[in-house]
Amino acid sequence: MTVLKGVLVERGYIGVFEIEYTLENLQELVEGYIEYVHNKDYVVICNDEGLTKGLPLNRLGLWGKAFILKLNYDTGDFISLTDDELKTVQEEIKRNSFMNA
C-alpha cells in the first residue's frame, strides 16, 4: 500500500493530508473525475467537472477540493511531497503566490 502525502486545499482549509494511492480514493477525495494541472514542480489534482457541479471555489481559484503532489515523470505515478515541500507549498498558498509561479 502506497500512501501519498500532500497539501489539501478546499474552501476555508489548507493542510497536510494523507491518502492511500488509488484512482478511486483520489476521485472520492475530489468528489468526481480527476484532472491535474502542472504548476512549476508540483501537480494539482482537482475535480474535472467542479464548475459544472457547482463546487465551491477554493483558494487556488479552482472549483472544489485540490490535492497538491509531485509527479514522477519516468513512471507517471504521483508521489508525496517532502516535509520541506509541504511547508513551502502551504506558505505559497497563504501568500497567494502558488498558482502564479
Side-chain angles (χ1 to χ4, degrees), residues 57-74:
L57 193 63
N58 67 39
R59 184 109 180 225
L60 299 177
L62 300 170
W63 302 97
K65 296 176 185 174
F67 191 43
I68 302 167
L69 300 163
K70 292 186 83 170
L71 183 66
N72 180 327
Y73 290 97
D74 293 330

Side-chain angles (χ1 to χ4, degrees), residues 37-50:
V37 293
H38 296 268
N39 177 293
K40 20 178 216 186
D41 298 324
Y42 305 103
V43 173
V44 181
I45 298 172
C46 57
N47 187 308
D48 185 44
E49 302 172 316

Side-chain angles (χ1 to χ4, degrees), residues 4-9 14-17 39-43 67-73 78-95 98:
L4 293 174
K5 188 175 185 179
V7 176
L8 179 65
V9 181
I14 302 166
V16 175
F17 189 79
N39 177 293
K40 20 178 216 186
D41 298 324
Y42 305 103
V43 173
F67 191 43
I68 302 167
L69 300 163
K70 292 186 83 170
L71 183 66
N72 180 327
Y73 290 97
F78 296 117
I79 54 177
S80 294
L81 301 182
T82 66
D83 289 340
D84 286 341
E85 290 167 334
L86 290 165
K87 182 179 177 184
T88 298
V89 167
Q90 290 178 89
E91 289 172 355
E92 287 180 4
I93 292 168
K94 289 175 184 172
R95 287 193 314 262
F98 181 77

